[in-house]
Amino acid sequence: MTRVRIEDIGRHTGESIEIAGWLYNLRKSGKIAFPQVRDGSGLIQCVAVKAQLPEEKFEALKHLTQESSLIVRGKVRAEERAPGGYEMDVEDFDIVQRVAEEHPYPITPKDHGIDFLMDHRHLWIRSRRQHAVLRIRAEVIKAVRDFFDSNGFLLVDCPIFTPAACEGTTTLFEVDYFEDEKVYLTQSGQLYNEANAMAFGKVYCFGPTFRAEKSKTRRHLTEFWMVEPEMAYATLEDVKRVGEALVCFVVDRVLQNKRPELAVLERDLAKLEAIKPPFPRITYDAAVELLKKKGSEIEWGSDFGGTDETLISEEFDRPVIVEKYPQQIKAFYFESDPARPELALGADFLAPEGYGEIIGGGQRVHSLELLEKRLAEHNLPREAFEWYLDLRRFGAVPHAGFGMGIERVVTWICGIDHLRETIAFPRMLYRTKP
Ligand code: 4AD
Ligand code: MG
């Protein structure tokens, strides 16, 4: 008998086939049972009639426990009223493992608190809502790769063990390497990406990055995935142009391919359909003025907090690009604005609906003298950056790039409260288990 994935079951109406999965739910009334079976690709309601099964089999099915694994054989039938549009009339089945009654599956349809669900994350990912979020994540990642692969960027991945900081020394995770050597978990692939860009012109890396940030917010993970493009012969303008095109491409893909998942999450589609170019662009100066008008106590020269970002993004129905921040609040590698050297040629994209920064990037310092000065000002160990300085000795050109945080983007697209649900096993300030 042919084994079929539930997502493909529509192509087998009228046929007897086999599905292999887990018992999601069970309704019963005397002579008939309705086991709902999930197989990872979808959910289908089965119909088991007492008269058509051996007595002991029907009884076993009627008393089967949630999340027991089973293989069901039966005939597929179109059924308009059924959730997926099909039902299966059970002809036979085998139970693979029966969940014990005295130790039942811990997640039931009742409301569990978030801590309980997070402690059972290894089981929680079987539920419908988590499926929707994680499928959207996979679509976002595929879209990101397709976007760069089809626009002339070469995928060149960067190391995770690194000898130096990229984004400031306060958020570095230190690791004991061999023979008393210390290394750090990467905060960003950017510095290596710059070398790759000088070798290949346009590159991107995509992988996990780490921040030892003591922030317990709905926007911070200690381990998150970032995609980072880097371009030679490029400026801040290119960052804004490519970032805008990327975000539009990704949102569009999810709208095209993940409608059922967005429906499970009850996402307001009009909000996503509004994500079209051009994105509004404002300077840091203008953003500070805007915030003051809205009652914030921010002063020029300080960084935006989460609340400030929300206040700014409230003004727009699509991501807003905020550019030219004061150098003092940015990393050492930002090129200065020639017109106002106190400003960094950097840009952040703030998502609408209060989802905060999804992209950060800009133009890099390409003069050797200025970069040497910056390393000294930031107290960065010169030896660890010698190779990076080489990029300014051998064919230095203006270059630029950015990083987009996958979990931030998925949280926003899904319209959910907290980014902990956008990765299968989140790592946060107070959570490293399961
Ligand atoms: O703004 P960030 O720190 O920029 C960089 O790391 C640059 N070196 C990237 C580059 O230019 N190649 O981080 C980039 C993005 C943020 O906009 C945000 O989306 C995400 O990474 N991000 C986080 N996501 C989850 N948890 C955290 N703790 C994050 N920190 C940054
Ligand atoms: Mg940033």
Side-chain angles (χ1 to χ4, degrees), residues 51-173:
Q52 278 153 28
L53 288 169
E55 177 83 35
E56 71 288 355
K57 275 227 150 173
F58 184 75
E59 283 307 306
L61 188 59
K62 234 177 109 177
H63 296 103
L64 197 57
T65 39
Q66 191 189 346
E67 284 301 316
S68 289
S69 41
L70 77 168
I71 295 171
V72 187
R73 289 173 282 277
K75 197 176 265 179
V76 182
R77 178 162 51 70
E79 171 56 71
E80 264 178 32
R81 290 163 301 173
Y86 300 93
E87 274 186 353
M88 184 164 166
D89 292 317
V90 179
E91 292 166 351
D92 189 17
F93 66 89
D94 290 311
I95 294 168
V96 179
Q97 188 250 327
R98 187 175 190 282
V99 173
E101 232 114 42
E102 48 293 354
H103 194 181
Y105 187 69
I107 303 176
T108 56
K110 74 164 192 193
D111 245 345
H112 296 285
I114 186 69
D115 284 331
F116 180 87
L117 290 170
M118 289 302 292
D119 286 342
H120 294 85
R121 184 68 179 164
H122 51 295
L123 303 176
W124 189 24
I125 53 176
R126 300 182 185 192
S127 74
R128 249 178 113 219
R129 175 184 155 93
Q130 299 310 310
H131 270 215
V133 176
L134 293 176
R135 284 177 190 282
I136 289 171
R137 175 191 172 99
E139 187 72 30
V140 164
I141 292 172
K142 184 165 191 316
V144 161
R145 288 193 179 281
D146 288 346
F147 177 85
F148 287 115
D149 292 344
S150 57
N151 281 289
F153 289 77
L154 183 73
L155 173 73
V156 186
D157 286 318
C158 295
I160 287 175
F161 286 149
T162 58
C166 177
E167 294 299 319
T169 48
T170 54
T171 61
L172 271 179
F173 277 112

Side-chain angles (χ1 to χ4, degrees), residues 96-275:
V96 179
Q97 188 250 327
R98 187 175 190 282
V99 173
E101 232 114 42
E102 48 293 354
H103 194 181
Y105 187 69
I107 303 176
T108 56
K110 74 164 192 193
D111 245 345
H112 296 285
I114 186 69
D115 284 331
F116 180 87
L117 290 170
M118 289 302 292
D119 286 342
H120 294 85
R121 184 68 179 164
H122 51 295
L123 303 176
W124 189 24
I125 53 176
R126 300 182 185 192
S127 74
R128 249 178 113 219
R129 175 184 155 93
Q130 299 310 310
H131 270 215
V133 176
L134 293 176
R135 284 177 190 282
I136 289 171
R137 175 191 172 99
E139 187 72 30
V140 164
I141 292 172
K142 184 165 191 316
V144 161
R145 288 193 179 281
D146 288 346
F147 177 85
F148 287 115
D149 292 344
S150 57
N151 281 289
F153 289 77
L154 183 73
L155 173 73
V156 186
D157 286 318
C158 295
I160 287 175
F161 286 149
T162 58
C166 177
E167 294 299 319
T169 48
T170 54
T171 61
L172 271 179
F173 277 112
E174 199 177 276
V175 178
D176 281 329
Y177 209 59
F178 305 109
E179 257 117 80
D180 297 331
E181 193 183 342
K182 297 271 183 225
V183 294
Y184 308 96
L185 296 182
T186 184
Q187 299 168 306
S188 155
Q190 182 194 320
L191 307 186
Y192 295 93
N193 241 0
E194 290 181 49
N196 296 337
M198 297 306 138
F200 295 99
K202 294 205 288 184
V203 296
Y204 73 103
C205 64
F206 175 56
T209 45
F210 306 85
R211 303 279 166 97
E213 236 157 350
K214 292 244 159 75
S215 321
K216 190 176 182 278
T217 79
R218 59 196 180 91
R219 295 176 186 169
H220 288 91
L221 294 170
T222 51
E223 176 183 315
F224 65 97
W225 287 67
M226 178 155 55
V227 60
E228 299 180 82
E230 191 72 28
M231 302 164 277
Y233 290 103
T235 65
L236 177 59
E237 279 311 307
D238 298 294
V239 165
K240 294 185 281 183
R241 180 178 55 80
V242 175
E244 180 182 275
L246 169 67
V247 171
C248 292
F249 184 86
V250 168
V251 171
D252 211 52
R253 265 291 184 81
V254 175
L255 278 170
Q256 269 176 43
N257 297 340
K258 288 288 166 270
R259 293 266 164 168
E261 287 77 4
L262 291 168
V264 167
L265 299 169
E266 296 174 12
R267 182 64 166 121
D268 181 351
L269 296 184
K271 292 266 198 312
L272 296 179
E273 278 155 356
I275 310 307

Side-chain angles (χ1 to χ4, degrees), residues 29 88 161 201 252 337 355 362 372 385:
S29 63
M88 184 164 166
F161 286 149
D252 211 52
D337 183 356
Y355 281 96
E372 284 174 324
F385 287 91

Side-chain angles (χ1 to χ4, degrees), residues 219 247 275 279-280 282-283 287 290-291 303-323 325 330 347-360 408 412:
R219 295 176 186 169
V247 171
I275 310 307
F279 291 172
I282 61 171
T283 59
L290 173 69
L291 286 172
D303 207 355
F304 303 136
T307 321
D308 297 319
E309 288 181 354
T310 301
L311 285 173
I312 299 168
S313 72
E314 268 171 12
E315 298 291 302
F316 308 97
D317 67 346
R318 53 196 88 186
V320 52
I321 306 177
V322 183
E323 59 182 318
Y325 287 75
K330 286 290 175 189
D348 285 353
F349 288 45
L350 308 182
E353 304 172 72
Y355 281 96
E357 183 194 323
I358 49 172
I359 284 183
R408 295 264 182 102
W412 161 51

